[in-house]
Amino acid sequence: MTQSIPRRGVLRAGGAALLAGGLAPAVAACGTGIRKGQVGGQLDFMGSSVVNIIQDVPEFRTWLDRNDVYLRGNFPPDDGAKIAKLAAGGAHGTSLVMWIDQFRSGWLGADVLEPLDLGQIPNLRNLIPGFGGPDAMRARKDSDGNTVGIPFAWNVLGIAYDADSVPEPASYYDFLNPEWKGKFTMLDAAGAVMSIGCQMLRYDPATLSPRQLDEVSDLLARLVRQARSLAKTDGDSFTLLASGEVLASLPGTPESVVNTAARGKGSIRCNTNPKEGGISWSSMYGIPKGAGNPTTSHAFINQALTVPVGRAIARRYGAMPSVEGALSALPQWYTDSVPIDPLERTFATAPTTYFPAIEARTPAGVTYRTFMAAWQRAKQKAGRA
Amino acid sequence: MSAPSSTLPNHTGIEAEARARPRSEHRPLWWTAPATLVALVAFVAPLVLVATTSFLTDQGFTKVVRPWTAENYTALFTSPALRTMAANSVLVGIETAVVITLAGLALTYWIRYRAGRLGPLVLALVIATMFASYLVRIYAWRTMLGTHGIVNSALEAVGIISGPLEFLLFNRVAVVIAEAQLYLPMMVLILYGGFRPIRPDYLEVARDLGVSGPRLWGRVVLPLMARPLASVFALSFLFSSTDWVAPQFLGGSAQIMLGLQVQHDFSETAQWAAGAALCLTMACAYAVLYGLAMLVLRWCGAKEIEWGAS
């Protein structure tokens, strides 16, 4: 005998299920149960895989466990995507960001960074004095002089190549030669490639004229035509290098060396000082405006500026850590490529170049947006050839 | 209903439904309110928002402001780059749609009429490929088509080639292959649904009447399958020509497509007005193409199959 369920019963059951289903996210949205000013709870980190390196450090792990801090990472492909995400949706779901100082005008123009409370970061005393050079020091502050970024690493752009297969490319212009056609990948990241284009033509990105911007775009279009592929992310370019699909990556970083080695390819090297000179940037921590749980974000930054974390970054990130006492952990292949003594000279050899402001200086001037869009134009030009 | 309940037959679900039917046919219009609300919120409102945004002015990083302008559309239609991107997208879309339609038709026909007891198993396996992540499948194609990939290694091992074939990856061929594999399972389902009402004995009857081989296909199978085939072609074209992930990971450095431009506008430079104008233009273009396809079908006299017991 079958027993039919009355319609009213179905409606009641459905209503109860709906209520239960709706209550769970509602309760979750009410917060993590952490009181204001207390360290703990979930920390949403918008950054890069560096978070995995940090989490593996035993001392850091202990700190996370002791304070019941749960890290949850999300990795947008570049700073442009991060700014767009925060500008569009606010800080909901993001407690901490990793940002690159080259994109300073974008971050500050979009007004998405919160001034940091330096009193909550006593480990700032561990920072290497003058880290990144004078320009980099200024780039960490907003127009009111508030600090909005704390550097944890200094990185340098160059050319990553397979030393077993090709001689070291000495210049970015080498890639315009026919023998390089179809043998390298270009990173499809506007900031990085536009920096290289400007460096090749000896233009300062921050003060480009529209004519100069066109020249940069044309030059990059020529490089795109030569390239075998455009790698969407750093990780993608590491995979292409490690698999032997390409023999070089433009740009490459010392990070390429350590990551391809982790993928079983030990012959990738990086020329960080091509004829046109190196380009550097600082990777920084920041807190987005309106982020929930800022106390824990500050505590995270403070804990990430300890020597054990700095040493892990030195060993595994392929970049120079900002923490004094961690430099000795840099592997020899890194210091062979990027001499670190004296540091002032290193920072001067590969200065940081900054991108144009959000608002142009003249009505027809180059803005941050037109600067980034020029890379897209370069790809379009390459496609029309 | 005034009949006493004792005179009614047992209250089975079917009978209850049958009794309820006449009343449901006269349900007031407000019964559609929930569905209308969902449609308004999920479809109409976003479309209106996109349309409105497309006539505003970008002010950087997702900010769009007045004045109202048609500048975004003017820029689109006067841009030679857009023509290149549109041509690339249409080419990839057509090639993928042709591959999927032909391969899907052959595979589904085999599953429906030739595979016997293997049919359901093969169908399940085809559908099971959809359970793998989209990105994993794209990377799998890299592994297969790469310089040191499975295809090149196999061809080299049997001595067909002496060096790797580099044209297999990072070009339109790779994009079309991957797109075809990505969407084929879904399209096989649609085609299978189209073949279901065409019972094997219909085809037997046709053969008994002397129609076989290409004539069977031309006069029986294809006319009956015209609408599912058109749907499959249109959907494959739509999905593949607007995709940006496969072209990004498998296309060459010069394979820029409309989907990539949309991604660039919304994510990299956050020019929402420009991105919205491109999206709306693409949507209108696809609507026009769909309308044309339906007109062609009507002109050809293609009709819906009446569902019956199969």
Side-chain angles (χ1 to χ4, degrees), chain B residues 65-94:
Chain B
V65 291
R66 287 180 190 171
W68 299 99
T69 175
E71 181 94 1
N72 296 313
Y73 289 95
T74 316
L76 269 183
F77 290 112
T78 53
S79 158
L82 184 84
R83 283 196 286 276
T84 312
M85 287 187 283
N88 280 341
S89 303
V90 168
L91 221 51
V92 166
I94 288 179

Side-chain angles (χ1 to χ4, degrees), chain B residues 16-301:
Chain B
E17 194 185 324
R19 279 188 289 107
R21 197 174 294 136
R23 206 174 56 180
S24 71
E25 282 169 6
H26 297 98
R27 276 173 188 155
L29 202 61
W30 61 263
W31 271 79
T32 62
T36 310
L37 189 69
V38 169
L40 282 175
V41 172
F43 302 109
V44 180
L47 203 61
V48 170
L49 191 66
V50 168
T52 313
T53 305
S54 72
F55 287 102
L56 290 168
T57 308
D58 274 309
Q59 211 188 31
F61 286 115
T62 74
K63 282 183 194 142
V64 283
V65 291
R66 287 180 190 171
W68 299 99
T69 175
E71 181 94 1
N72 296 313
Y73 289 95
T74 316
L76 269 183
F77 290 112
T78 53
S79 158
L82 184 84
R83 283 196 286 276
T84 312
M85 287 187 283
N88 280 341
S89 303
V90 168
L91 221 51
V92 166
I94 288 179
E95 288 171 357
T96 309
V98 167
V99 171
I100 288 181
T101 309
L102 293 178
L105 187 64
L107 179 62
T108 317
Y109 181 86
W110 181 80
I111 290 172
R112 176 74 175 98
Y113 302 112
R114 302 279 181 210
R117 278 187 293 181
L118 270 180
L121 178 67
V122 174
L123 189 62
L125 287 175
V126 169
I127 294 164
T129 62
M130 283 200 293
F131 301 154
S133 152
Y134 178 82
L135 206 55
V136 167
R137 284 191 279 165
I138 286 175
Y139 263 103
W141 278 109
R142 262 205 193 166
T143 313
M144 285 193 274
L145 301 174
T147 310
H148 308 290
I150 295 167
V151 174
N152 271 316
S153 303
L155 291 175
E156 279 187 89
V158 296
I160 293 176
I161 55 172
S162 55
L165 302 173
E166 296 205 338
F167 68 83
L168 290 176
L169 193 56
F170 299 128
N171 52 35
R172 208 170 66 233
V173 175
V175 176
V176 170
I177 290 174
E179 300 274 14
Q181 192 271 334
L182 288 171
Y183 300 120
L184 184 64
M186 203 188 303
M187 302 308 157
V188 163
L189 273 183
I190 296 174
L191 290 172
Y192 194 77
F195 271 125
R196 276 290 287 175
I198 310 174
R199 285 160 30 187
D201 41 342
Y202 289 174
L203 304 184
E204 284 304 317
V205 170
R207 284 193 192 95
D208 290 346
L209 292 171
V211 182
S212 60
R215 284 181 67 212
L216 177 73
W217 276 88
R219 298 189 61 179
V220 180
V221 178
L222 290 180
L224 287 172
M225 287 293 290
R227 282 194 176 258
L229 280 172
S231 300
V232 163
F233 190 91
L235 280 176
S236 308
F237 177 79
L238 180 70
F239 290 165
S240 53
S241 60
T242 54
D243 188 18
W244 70 272
V245 183
Q248 177 77 62
F249 285 91
L250 299 170
S253 54
Q255 283 299 312
I256 186 159
M257 288 170 54
L258 290 171
L260 287 166
Q261 183 65 33
V262 171
Q263 190 265 342
H264 170 85
D265 285 344
F266 279 98
S267 175
E268 287 177 21
T269 49
Q271 306 175 82
W272 282 17
L278 178 55
C279 286
L280 206 66
T281 307
M282 284 167 69
C284 290
Y286 286 115
V288 169
L289 283 176
Y290 181 76
L292 284 176
M294 290 303 109
L295 273 180
V296 170
L297 281 181
R298 182 177 288 184
W299 180 67
C300 295

Side-chain angles (χ1 to χ4, degrees), chain A residues 34-294:
Chain A
I34 299 296
R35 285 196 307 276
K36 197 176 176 187
Q38 186 186 345
V39 176
Q42 185 166 299
L43 198 67
D44 295 301
F45 181 77
M46 184 193 277
S48 76
S49 56
V50 74
V51 71
N52 299 329
I53 297 175
I54 296 173
Q55 281 193 99
D56 285 350
V57 177
E59 290 86 345
F60 198 87
R61 189 78 255 163
T62 307
W63 177 82
L64 289 173
D65 293 343
R66 202 175 51 231
N67 292 287
D68 283 332
V69 176
Y70 308 101
L71 267 181
R72 198 173 66 172
N74 69 89
F75 312 129
D78 57 25
D79 277 40
K82 289 178 195 173
I83 301 168
K85 204 170 170 181
L86 290 171
H92 181 72
T94 308
S95 337
L96 190 68
V97 289
M98 179 197 131
W99 64 282
I100 287 172
D101 61 353
Q102 284 189 299
F103 288 81
R104 178 182 183 274
S105 58
W107 283 100
L108 297 186
D111 194 24
V112 290
L113 289 175
E114 186 78 46
L116 297 169
D117 178 358
L118 301 185
Q120 293 187 51
I121 314 174
N123 282 340
L124 270 177
R125 62 175 179 266
N126 293 346
L127 272 190
I128 295 168
F131 185 76
D135 287 343
M137 303 276 286
R138 278 192 292 275
R140 295 165 206 163
K141 294 181 188 289
D142 64 15
S143 52
D144 297 329
N146 300 309
T147 301
V148 286
I150 304 288
F152 65 88
W154 181 85
N155 319 58
V156 60
L157 276 183
I159 303 164
Y161 64 98
D162 185 348
D164 280 355
S165 307
V166 285
E168 180 177 273
S171 159
Y172 295 123
Y173 281 100
D174 287 0
F175 292 93
L176 291 173
N177 296 336
E179 61 263 28
W180 272 104
K181 171 105 181 142
K183 291 185 177 155
F184 67 99
T185 188
M186 281 182 84
L187 190 62
D188 192 1
V193 286
M194 287 299 291
S195 296
I196 287 181
C198 290
Q199 189 82 346
M200 289 171 78
L201 293 168
R202 311 250 177 229
Y203 294 149
D204 177 6
T207 56
L208 279 179
S209 70
R211 187 186 55 77
Q212 289 172 330
L213 187 70
D214 282 343
E215 284 177 46
V216 173
S217 176
D218 287 342
L219 178 61
L220 290 176
R222 288 170 61 200
L223 280 168
V224 171
R225 273 178 221 130
Q226 287 280 101
R228 178 153 159 75
S229 75
L230 296 175
K232 184 62 195 165
T233 59
D234 287 321
D236 196 26
S237 77
F238 305 151
T239 305
L240 289 168
L241 278 169
S243 65
E245 205 60 60
V246 295
L247 302 177
S249 172
L250 188 68
T253 60
E255 208 185 334
S256 316
V257 179
V258 67
N259 279 286
T260 49
R263 287 163 167 80
K265 183 92 171 173
S267 56
I268 302 300
R269 298 287 175 270
C270 186
N271 178 6
T272 56
N273 194 18
K275 272 182 193 161
E276 296 79 17
I279 306 165
S280 69
W281 75 91
S282 293
S283 300
M284 313 214 271
Y285 296 120
I287 299 178
K289 273 201 170 144
N293 208 0

